[in-house]
Amino acid sequence: MLFTSRSSSAEPTDQAPSARKNGDSGILPPGKVLENLSNSISESITQPAVRVGKELKSMLLDPAPVKPVARPIVAPSIRAGDKPRLLGGLTVLIPAYNEGKFVADTIRSVQRQSVHIDHVIVIDDCSTDNTGEIARSCGPEIVVIRPPKNCGSKATALNYALEYVSTEYTLAIDADTTLADDAIEKLMPHFDQPRTAAVCGMVLPRFVRTMWERGRYIEYLYAFLFYKPIQDYYERPLIASGCFSAYRTDILRQLGGWNTRTVGEDMDLTWSVYRLGMSVRFAPEALCYPVEPHNYHFMSKQLQRWCAGFAQCIKVHWKDIVGTSVLRSMVATALWDAVVSVFALFILLPLLAIFVHPAFLLGYFLDLPTIVVPVLIYAAKRGEFFKALTSIPAFWVLRFVNTYFVTRAFWNEFIGKRSVTVFEKGH
Amino acid sequence: MFAGLPATGIGGIFYMALVFFMPFKELWRAMRGESSMERWMFIASRWGLFAIVIAMMWLQAMIMKWAIGADMSKFMAAGASAAAGRETQSLAGATLYLAVLSLVGVMTLVYSVRIVIAVRRALGMR
């Protein structure tokens, strides 16, 4: 039983130290806590941050297991009515770089959650827009931290904030991702098994307007509702999506946080969890809605990073993958398909169509039923049948683009030795 | 497949195999008292879904065969059209055969590498 009602549970143990001094029970009303802490919050957050940054650097360079160095964050908890509480507590981390347009929606979706969230930390990664101000304006319980300089990647920004986490669970969401109101309530019960180290949610694009968003919409419906439940049955989701996943904080720390050696930090972390002998679960009923690339420019950046991340993770983890049941076969078949598809789509089928018979062009639609049938069934269940039906052609376009980028990524990573190291956002 | 990767290919066949083996795994779990009706329902839904997918693929193959046959018949004699139909059939068979063969090959390679790594680790080699 992970949830308990507020009335029956103990009060939070992670209250600010200064708040404890001011009351007999150590617990103050939120307003009073805020009053007492209004000056100390910025100091407590900003000052250690510089020091932590250095520690973090050495931590990431050191491959040895890292000793947990949790420091309680100095912020009052979100208190909202009789929301159920998570035993052990939950901290939400929101890394943000120039997300002024979306970060408020993200924070509000966290505030609307049907369960109690102990802490919300926004990592304003030296944004040049007003991300930090907007985040602060969302409420006094939102802690905004700003590293001394731009972290350069989501992984580093998350690691920077991990130092402040004092709860048993840590949830990371992207700053452009909103959550369904019951997303966390649906996500957290999947930690019922002690060996579950991470749980990821279901992802659907927030906007489905342009061709690229439509293609991604079909891709997500297919990947998250067709393949991922099968992966979950065998307790081997290929990836706990970085845009919405929760972790046991002690396991995160044991792994050294989110690793920066690859640009696919979420896949890297997922496979590292498997290396520990722990499992990852998928909660299809826990919904999140990220903003997906709306044009080719941003889609290409995102695909370049994703595909390079996949290739880099294979390079880093291949020996461990081979020793991990089911995952080894999933990765091997994905790798094979990724490599062969370029040959089939760009060379074999056009040549056959030109030199043998034009009907070979139908080969492009050979697996149409395997994609269309599940997608339309799931879309119909969600009342989005026509949206899905009209989006299917966009998926075929995206597929060609995917093929190009995955081929380029594997060429660059394994043959060309031009590894992607720059973390570029998808919008 | 996950978002960002292009094809279903042998991955699709592999996942089909995973679904096929689900009841056997669940039986094993049931014997250990770890099964539940919910899990069996999930397996049934996956089997149902794959049954629909296979039925639709069969239908698609029939349509393609008819389309190619009809198209060829415009240009060829009736006998040649029938031959084209057989070609289509054998082509579909060959594609499936090739895909399954690829899957077996990939699995063999993966398990061979696994054995090599296990042996090297046992011998204290990197």
Side-chain angles (χ1 to χ4, degrees):
Chain A
M1 180 76 176
L2 282 161
F3 291 113
T4 177
S5 74
R6 263 181 62 77
S7 56
S8 62
S9 67
E11 287 294 338
T13 55
D14 47 6
Q15 283 288 329
S18 53
R20 290 201 190 105
K21 290 173 192 168
N22 291 295
D24 293 340
S25 63
I27 304 301
L28 291 174
K32 190 72 178 168
V33 172
L34 279 174
E35 195 180 307
N36 290 343
L37 294 176
S38 58
N39 292 325
S40 62
I41 284 177
S42 58
E43 284 175 21
S44 305
I45 295 301
T46 314
Q47 289 307 318
V50 180
R51 191 159 48 84
V52 167
K54 287 174 186 168
E55 287 175 12
L56 195 65
K57 197 176 171 189
S58 61
M59 185 173 88
L60 291 171
L61 291 171
D62 184 6
V66 178
K67 190 182 170 187
V69 282
R71 296 183 188 89
I73 56 170
V74 189
S77 301
I78 294 171
R79 292 171 181 272
D82 292 315
K83 286 182 179 179
R85 293 176 60 85
L86 183 74
L87 290 176
L90 175 71
T91 299
V92 174
L93 303 182
I94 308 173
Y97 176 70
N98 287 351
E99 295 283 1
K101 196 175 169 188
F102 300 111
V103 74
D105 291 341
T106 303
I107 294 169
R108 285 191 196 109
S109 79
V110 173
Q111 289 170 323
R112 280 196 306 269
Q113 287 302 300
S114 54
V115 292
H116 174 82
I117 311 292
D118 293 84
H119 304 289
V120 181
I121 303 177
V122 177
I123 308 108
D124 174 19
D125 196 6
C126 298
S127 301
T128 52
D129 68 357
N130 55 351
T131 300
E133 289 77 48
I134 291 174
R136 275 184 207 96
S137 70
C138 288
E141 73 278 14
I142 307 300
V143 175
V144 181
I145 57 175
R146 190 177 167 98
K149 61 175 185 176
N150 182 269
C151 292
S153 71
K154 192 168 85 176
T156 314
L158 285 165
N159 287 331
Y160 186 81
L162 186 60
E163 290 291 310
Y164 297 102
V165 176
S166 57
T167 50
E168 196 174 316
Y169 300 95
T170 303
L171 188 141
I173 59 171
D174 285 353
D176 60 4
T177 301
T178 54
L179 305 179
D181 290 354
D182 60 353
I184 294 178
E185 185 181 359
K186 296 277 173 62
L187 189 84
M188 299 310 287
H190 290 264
F191 278 106
D192 57 349
Q193 298 296 319
R195 50 190 293 275
T196 303
V199 182
C200 56
M202 163 81 193
V203 185
L204 281 174
R206 194 185 323 176
F207 307 115
V208 185
R209 299 172 300 205
T210 68
M211 182 187 74
W212 304 104
E213 289 167 336
R214 284 179 177 277
R216 185 51 62 73
Y217 168 66
I218 298 296
E219 222 176 34
Y220 278 170
L221 273 181
Y222 187 54
F224 281 91
L225 293 173
F226 188 64
Y227 279 144
K228 209 139 191 175
I230 300 172
Q231 296 171 355
D232 182 59
Y233 178 83
Y234 287 93
E235 297 186 18
R236 290 283 186 268
L238 197 59
I239 176 172
S241 312
C243 65
F244 177 41
S245 288
Y247 309 88
R248 287 187 196 276
T249 309
D250 57 340
I251 301 295
L252 259 182
R253 290 209 169 97
Q254 195 182 337
L255 291 168
W258 286 265
N259 217 304
T260 52
R261 61 193 165 187
T262 70
V263 289
E265 79 293 330
D266 45 3
M267 183 175 273
D268 194 349
L269 183 59
T270 308
W271 294 3
S272 298
V273 165
Y274 292 139
R275 196 184 64 216
L276 289 181
M278 309 286 285
S279 71
V280 176
R281 301 308 306 271
F282 167 58
E285 64 279 22
L287 284 164
C288 78
Y289 306 96
V291 176
E292 293 298 331
H294 65 283
N295 60 23
Y296 177 76
H297 174 71
F298 289 114
M299 181 61 84
S300 64
K301 282 184 173 186
Q302 192 187 58
L303 284 177
Q304 189 179 359
R305 180 163 54 81
W306 282 7
C307 295
F310 180 52
Q312 290 170 1
C313 283
I314 290 175
K315 269 205 288 193
V316 169
H317 289 278
W318 74 272
K319 281 186 181 175
D320 296 316
I321 293 170
V322 167
T324 310
S325 66
V326 186
L327 182 70
R328 57 176 163 246
S329 307
M330 288 191 313
V331 173
T333 53
L335 186 60
W336 175 268
D337 282 343
V339 173
V340 167
S341 61
V342 68
F343 173 71
L345 292 180
F346 291 132
I347 300 169
L348 185 67
L349 287 176
L351 284 179
L352 286 172
I354 293 166
F355 294 111
V356 181
H357 196 277
F360 276 100
L361 289 174
L362 290 170
Y364 285 112
F365 304 101
L366 210 59
D367 57 357
L368 185 81
T370 62
I371 295 159
V372 171
V373 170
V375 161
L376 290 183
I377 288 175
Y378 295 131
K381 278 184 187 171
R382 295 179 49 80
E384 298 172 352
F385 182 84
F386 286 105
K387 187 161 94 173
L389 192 65
T390 52
S391 300
I392 284 170
F395 171 76
W396 250 258
V397 177
L398 186 57
R399 202 177 195 189
F400 277 91
V401 178
N402 284 345
T403 305
Y404 166 71
F405 278 100
V406 85
T407 308
R408 201 174 82 159
F410 275 93
W411 180 271
N412 285 342
E413 296 292 335
F414 289 102
I415 300 165
K417 302 291 178 192
R418 290 193 301 272
S419 196
V420 173
T421 52
V422 179
F423 190 96
E424 291 204 76
K425 285 169 49 169
H427 71 81
Chain B
M1 181 215 171
F2 66 93
L5 280 184
T8 48
I10 64 166
I13 300 171
F14 171 68
Y15 279 92
M16 216 173 267
L18 285 182
V19 170
F20 179 78
F21 284 111
M22 275 181 183
F24 301 103
K25 185 176 164 67
E26 200 57 31
L27 268 178
W28 173 248
R29 289 181 68 102
M31 284 194 289
R32 293 189 298 167
E34 295 170 0
S35 186
S36 68
M37 183 54 76
E38 197 185 339
R39 292 178 66 88
W40 281 108
M41 292 295 284
F42 171 76
I43 294 169
S45 72
R46 295 295 120 174
W47 271 63
L49 192 61
F50 269 99
I52 297 170
V53 167
I54 289 168
M56 292 301 290
M57 288 189 84
W58 178 81
L59 189 69
Q60 186 195 28
M62 291 297 110
I63 292 168
M64 284 172 87
K65 183 183 163 186
W66 171 82
I68 294 171
D71 179 38
M72 299 278 267
S73 66
K74 287 180 188 171
F75 306 100
M76 298 176 173
S81 177
R86 280 197 299 277
E87 272 174 28
T88 317
Q89 217 162 18
S90 61
L91 198 71
T95 308
L96 186 67
Y97 179 73
L98 214 66
V100 173
L101 202 69
S102 304
L103 182 61
V104 171
V106 169
M107 291 297 124
T108 308
L109 182 68
V110 168
Y111 279 85
S112 304
V113 173
R114 185 192 169 202
I115 292 166
V116 169
I117 289 175
V119 169
R120 286 175 69 92
R121 277 183 179 161
L123 295 173
M125 298 161 77
R126 285 194 71 197

